[in-house]
């Protein structure tokens, strides 16, 4: 008998809100949370805007000892996981803890910790740094902290595939539960790269917008970075049913492909194969897809390539699909972005509410699908897919199904 | 070395050519520099002349900085040097 995988908890933090609920509410309000960046040396940046989490006081959530070990990317993962596990109602007893794991995505890991400590040794000439710099900055810090906090003793790891990291992570979690190697996995992604060194590197590529993120709009001129996390409880269906859990959505399909092309330029064939593959993996047809949370970075080339890939993968059904990029509101959360964006896919299949692409003012003939522009929309959606296409030509697509 | 000579030297290095092979009316495409190469050229120009070049790789045509030919780049760099020197 085939094992099915469902989502029984969600947690998040982003510029839109400090919880999954406030983040989703912000998306559905069509609220743009991109604002002026505030951190040391931000005045030396050419691009001064981002989806920065403001009004956040770490000491309200963590002890002094925890903060010595938790880079912001770990803090965001822990806050999201607390919310998700609480919502799921799960208690990890001894037997369950052996059948449970963690798979998170991150592109930058403890980049803020690296940035700050390089500054101390190079700029300030210090000859020693805090003893916990290494366990704070390592890519797996977030996953390992979740494993320790909740006592999860199965597979625990972090995936780094740039902007596709959290989709790859959630795909691995899904397949692990479906194949029988785990019953529960905390999965999603986290990144916090909004610091001087992090953004200076991105400025060099000259693909960032200094005036806003406008995916699929003819006036788009680049991406805007964000920060945050989302973590979900992925659970085997019968396990969730047996304990009477509320089921938010079913994880139905996943696929990943590589372009084997260019290190930064996306490729229509690789993206289309990932979309088709996710549908095939879930036994789904293009006609069932009602909503696509696009990668939609608002660079000229990503958006037109993604629309072409959707047309290739969905065929005639593409014209009936609603498409949006919520990056226009929370920014591009890098390795955490697929996780935060999965929230909008859950809202689509569970509540029939489609989050919009905001800042959209001029249609682009090269992006001629049904873009949910500026205002949320109601629609009954059976299947929603979430695209993530990373630098390095790595594509990962998840398909969610309404659970009924 | 003149501004034009320095720009040709930068382009030549990027294109794996000799500066004498690069004519003033050549486009970057003519000498085999692709879009990522353009971004590297802009960086080298900024470093060589201590200027900030307004250039968005998303839409090079819309940028204030004209990269359509070697002569156009030279003129644009000369203008930026003058403007940014004046602004101090």
């Amino acid at each position: 008998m085939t094992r099915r995988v469902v989502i029984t908890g969600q947690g998040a933090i982003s510029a839109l809100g400090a919880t999954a609920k406030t983040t989703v509410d912000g998306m559905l309000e069509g609220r743009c949370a991109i604002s002026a960046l505030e951190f040391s040396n931000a005045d030396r940046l050419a691009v001064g805007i981002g989806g920065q989490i403001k009004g956040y006081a770490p000491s309200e959530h963590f002890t002094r000892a925890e903060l010595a070990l938790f880079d912001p990317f770990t803090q965001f993962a822990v806050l999201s996981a607390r919310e998700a596990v609480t919502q799921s109602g799960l208690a990890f007893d001894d037997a369950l803890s052996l059948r449970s794991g963690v798979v998170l995505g991150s592109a930058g890991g403890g980049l803020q910790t690296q940035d700050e400590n390089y500054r101390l040794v190079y700029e300030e000439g210090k000859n020693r740094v805090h003893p916990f710099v290494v366990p704070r900055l390592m890519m797996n810090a977030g996953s390992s902290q979740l494993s320790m906090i909740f006592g999860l003793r199965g597979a625990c790891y972090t995936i780094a595939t740039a902007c596709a990291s959290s989709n790859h992570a959630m795909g691995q979690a899904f397949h692990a539960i479906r194949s029988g190697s785990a019953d529960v996995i905390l999965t999603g992604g986290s990144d916090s790269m909004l610091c001087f060194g992090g953004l200076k590197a991105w400025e060099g590529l000259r693909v960032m917008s200094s005036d806003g993120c406008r995916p699929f709009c003819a006036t788009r001129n680049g991406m805007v970075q964000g920060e945050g996390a989302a973590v979900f409880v992925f659970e085997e269906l019968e396990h969730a049913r047996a304990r009477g859990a509320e089921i938010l959505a079913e994880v139905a399909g996943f696929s990943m492909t590589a372009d084997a092309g260019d290190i930064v330029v996306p490729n229509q064939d690789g993206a289309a194969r990932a979309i088709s593959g996710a549908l095939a993996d879930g036994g789904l047809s293009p006609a069932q897809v009602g909503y696509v949370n696009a990668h939609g970075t608002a660079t000229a080339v990503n958006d037109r390539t993604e629309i072409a890939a959707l047309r290739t993968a969905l065929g005639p059904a593409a014209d009936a699909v609603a498409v949006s990029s919520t990056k226009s509101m929370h920014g591009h959360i890098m390795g955490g972005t697929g996780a935060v964006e999965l929230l909008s896919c859950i809202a689509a299949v569970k509540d029939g509410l489609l989050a919009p692409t905001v800042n959209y003012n001029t249609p682009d003939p090269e992006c001629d699908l049904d873009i949910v522009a500026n205002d949320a929309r109601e629609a009954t959606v059976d299947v929603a897919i979430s695209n993530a296409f990373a630098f390095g030509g790595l594509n990962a697509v998840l398909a969610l199904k309404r659970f009924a | 070395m003149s501004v034009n000579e320095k720009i040709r030297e930068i382009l030549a290095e990027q294109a794996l050519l000799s500066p004498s092979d690069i004519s003033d009316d050549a486009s970057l495409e003519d000498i085999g520099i692709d879009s990522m190469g353009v971004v590297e050229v802009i960086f080298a120009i900024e470093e060589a002349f201590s200027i900030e070049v307004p250039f968005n790789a998303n839409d090079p045509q819309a940028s204030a900085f004209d990269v359509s030919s070697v002569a156009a780049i030279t003129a644009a760099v000369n203008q930026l040097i003058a403007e940014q020197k004046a602004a101090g």
Side-chain angles (χ1 to χ4, degrees):
Chain A
M1 185 184 135
T2 311
R3 285 162 60 95
R4 292 166 66 188
V5 181
V6 292
I7 302 175
T8 55
Q10 62 181 23
I13 177 167
S14 72
L16 283 167
T19 62
K21 183 177 188 316
T22 50
T23 295
V24 173
D25 287 350
M27 288 179 182
L28 295 174
E29 286 161 18
R31 182 159 53 84
C32 180
I34 289 165
S35 63
L37 291 168
E38 294 171 3
F39 50 73
S40 110
N41 289 306
D43 57 322
R44 289 173 57 203
L45 293 169
V47 173
I49 57 170
Q52 186 175 13
I53 295 171
K54 294 188 173 168
Y56 166 68
S59 60
E60 289 175 9
H61 307 283
F62 300 104
T63 65
R64 190 170 172 277
E66 287 172 325
L67 287 174
L69 282 161
F70 293 4
D71 179 272
F73 99 103
T74 298
Q75 296 172 32
F76 296 159
V78 172
L79 290 172
S80 301
R82 283 179 186 165
E83 185 187 2
V85 171
T86 299
Q87 181 181 26
S88 77
L90 273 171
F92 294 98
D93 61 17
D94 197 54
L96 182 58
S97 84
L98 295 169
R99 298 276 304 157
S100 300
V102 185
V103 190
L104 295 183
S106 187
L111 190 88
Q112 294 218 25
T113 297
Q114 299 195 39
D115 192 61
E116 175 60 13
N117 285 283
Y118 282 136
R119 196 183 64 75
L120 289 176
V121 293
Y122 291 131
E123 186 180 315
E124 294 193 14
K126 299 236 187 215
N127 278 327
R128 69 176 73 84
V129 295
H130 191 279
F132 296 159
V133 168
V134 169
R136 203 172 192 270
L137 67 77
M138 60 191 190
M139 291 294 292
N140 60 306
S143 297
S144 293
Q145 294 296 347
L146 295 195
S147 150
M148 292 186 286
I149 289 166
F150 298 101
L152 312 179
R153 295 183 287 163
C156 172
Y157 56 104
T158 297
I159 293 179
T161 50
C163 307
S165 299
S166 49
N167 271 19
H168 276 109
M170 294 186 291
Q172 297 313 304
F174 165 49
H175 282 176
I177 295 173
R178 191 173 68 177
S179 72
S181 66
D183 291 330
V184 174
I185 297 182
L186 300 188
T187 187
S190 176
D191 255 321
S192 179
M193 294 161 71
L194 299 183
C195 58
F196 184 68
L199 279 178
K200 213 50 184 168
W202 273 96
E203 275 185 12
L205 273 169
R206 295 180 184 264
V207 294
M208 309 248 291
S209 170
S210 53
D211 61 8
C213 178
R214 298 182 293 277
F216 306 116
C217 177
T219 69
R220 69 186 182 277
N221 62 358
M223 52 172 286
V224 174
Q225 290 227 19
E227 64 177 345
V231 172
F232 302 89
V233 177
F234 279 20
E235 186 171 358
E236 193 276 323
L237 173 60
E238 295 311 320
H239 190 276
R241 269 192 177 136
R243 62 186 192 85
E246 185 199 358
I247 290 167
L248 305 178
E250 177 170 2
V251 188
F254 172 68
S255 177
M256 48 191 166
T257 64
D259 297 340
D262 191 277
I263 196 71
V264 291
V265 179
N267 171 286
Q268 179 183 337
D269 172 68
R273 286 187 295 116
I275 296 164
S276 298
L279 296 179
D281 184 54
L284 305 165
S285 72
Q288 288 174 275
V289 179
Y291 172 67
V292 177
N293 184 288
H295 191 54
T297 57
T299 65
V301 64
N302 173 83
D303 292 5
R304 68 168 178 263
T305 306
E306 181 166 14
I307 294 294
L310 282 165
R311 283 209 177 276
T312 303
L314 301 180
D319 285 310
V321 166
V323 179
S324 73
S325 170
T326 53
K327 286 185 180 75
S328 54
M329 297 179 275
H330 51 66
H332 190 333
I333 308 178
M334 302 281 119
T337 211
V340 171
E341 294 168 30
L342 197 72
L343 293 168
S344 82
C345 290
I346 294 173
V349 295
K350 176 173 171 283
D351 303 321
L353 296 170
L354 309 186
T357 302
V358 302
N359 306 320
Y360 183 92
N361 56 55
T362 311
D364 177 355
E366 287 193 296
C367 299
D368 60 347
L369 291 183
D370 176 15
I371 308 294
V372 183
N374 300 317
D375 296 308
R377 193 190 288 177
E378 289 185 36
T380 303
V381 172
D382 294 326
V383 171
I385 66 175
S386 185
N387 289 344
F389 309 132
F391 273 5
L394 309 183
N395 313 297
V397 176
L398 278 162
L400 294 190
K401 200 157 89 176
R402 180 152 44 92
F403 186 80
Chain B
M1 190 184 286
S2 73
V3 167
N4 180 262
E5 283 167 341
K6 182 68 192 168
I7 287 170
R8 282 153 53 137
E9 183 183 285
I10 289 168
L11 294 172
E13 195 185 338
Q14 187 72 36
L16 305 175
L17 296 169
S18 157
S20 59
D21 294 337
I22 297 174
S23 67
D24 260 357
D25 59 357
S27 72
L28 298 188
E29 202 177 3
D30 291 339
I31 57 173
I33 295 180
D34 66 9
S35 61
M36 290 314 290
V38 173
V39 173
E40 288 193 75
V41 164
I42 300 278
F43 169 70
I45 287 172
E46 289 181 321
E47 289 288 289
F49 299 107
S50 295
I51 54 174
E52 293 288 326
V53 175
F55 181 82
N56 183 337
N58 280 292
D59 192 357
Q61 281 75 37
S63 298
F65 190 74
D66 183 354
V67 293
S68 58
S69 70
V70 177
I73 294 172
T74 304
V77 168
N78 275 320
Q79 192 185 339
L80 286 171
I81 292 170
E83 283 171 9
Q84 295 181 14
K85 208 173 267 173

